[in-house]
Amino acid sequence: MLTIWGRENSSNVKKVLWCADELGIAYKQIVAGGSFGVVNTPEYRAMNPNGLVPSIEDDGFVLWESNAIIRYLCAKHGGGALYAADLMQRAMADQWMDWTTSTFATPLRNLFLNTVRLPVEQRKQDVAQRGLQACASHLSLVDAALAKKPFLSGSDFGMGDIPLACLVYAWFEMPIQRPALAHLEAWYQRLALRPAYRNRVMIELT
Ligand SMILES: N[C@@H](CCC(=O)N[C@@H](CS)C(=O)NCC(=O)O)C(=O)O
């Protein structure tokens, strides 16, 4: 039995919950992190010494780091669908997963915190503005990639789409001035057709 620890409004937890739902895996969710606590208990720290969410336990096997969890679940349950058997196709999915975390996540987080999550009096307009500009610049590169294929994973939806899709929801739903990026918008619309994406990712931004 799979257990997933994490609060639903965390983008890194969303990745794992959405992925598990796409794969049709039965699991138990333990809400943890933020105001829900749990992550500082000795039991949780023994499992994940970072004290962050998400973490999973799968028949005694413990794993943290959301992208590693996605790869593990897709490889175990994907049957070649979300985790491509073809080495180059899979490497391309890995590329977008790693790029999202290493390049896009920080400016998006700065923009999100200073537009939505922080109390109004703590928001810094200049940080939000710099985040917005960096995100727009990074997403123009995604737009160009999506001009050539419908999904970041290739011709079909796959694990390579999951991390960026979780963050892009906030990009499209925040009250900000977005540059027009037609291919990115078309990708977002394709994602929004997926029930598991709507259920797990397209929830109120908090
Ligand atoms: N690189 C980690 C980052 C995990 C992370 O930063 N998680 C955040 C939520 S998105 C967290 O645990 N924050 C503290 C908390 O929720 O208590 C991953 O991808 O899993």
Side-chain angles (χ1 to χ4, degrees):
M1 177 69 174
L2 174 68
T3 304
I4 301 173
W5 281 262
R7 55 186 166 85
E8 275 147 26
N9 67 344
S10 144
S11 57
N12 286 310
V13 174
K14 281 182 177 185
K15 291 180 198 174
V16 174
L17 294 172
W18 174 28
C19 180
D21 286 352
E22 282 284 346
L23 293 166
I25 310 169
Y27 59 87
K28 175 177 152 195
Q29 183 192 352
I30 298 180
V31 182
S35 61
F36 300 98
V38 180
V39 295
N40 290 320
T41 60
E43 295 77 17
Y44 191 86
R45 288 284 172 146
M47 183 175 66
N48 183 344
N50 301 288
L52 297 173
V53 287
S55 301
I56 66 163
E57 192 259 321
D58 187 31
D59 290 331
F61 173 61
V62 169
L63 191 64
W64 37 263
E65 275 300 322
S66 56
N67 287 358
I69 295 171
I70 294 170
R71 290 186 178 103
Y72 169 76
L73 294 178
C74 289
K76 183 172 175 183
H77 301 277
L82 301 191
Y83 188 85
D86 177 80
L87 179 61
M88 290 181 201
Q89 201 185 329
R90 197 166 71 239
M92 197 55 70
D94 281 333
Q95 170 195 283
W96 284 113
M97 294 174 76
D98 292 353
W99 178 87
T100 297
T101 302
S102 64
T103 303
F104 186 70
T106 299
L108 192 278
R109 183 170 186 274
N110 289 339
L111 175 59
F112 177 72
L113 289 178
N114 289 283
T115 306
V116 173
R117 185 166 284 168
L118 286 172
V120 176
E121 64 279 7
Q122 289 176 28
R123 293 181 195 167
K124 295 197 171 80
Q125 199 49 46
D126 57 327
V127 178
Q129 195 52 35
R130 278 199 300 277
L132 176 60
Q133 278 161 5
C135 287
S137 163
H138 293 322
L139 288 174
S140 68
L141 184 154
V142 178
D143 190 65
L146 289 168
K148 300 187 193 118
K149 53 189 180 182
F151 293 100
L152 294 175
S153 302
S155 52
D156 296 304
F157 172 78
M159 69 175 183
D161 295 275
I162 291 178
L164 189 63
C166 288
L167 298 181
V168 148
Y169 170 63
W171 171 255
F172 280 110
E173 296 307 314
M174 276 187 280
I176 52 172
Q177 290 288 328
R178 285 172 292 277
L181 295 168
H183 304 291
L184 184 79
E185 282 164 33
W187 176 66
Y188 178 55
Q189 280 162 19
R190 281 193 286 280
L191 293 166
L193 297 174
R194 308 186 77 84
Y197 182 72
R198 287 203 301 276
N199 289 343
R200 284 307 195 178
V201 181
M202 299 180 81
I203 59 175
E204 188 190 359
L205 290 175
T206 54

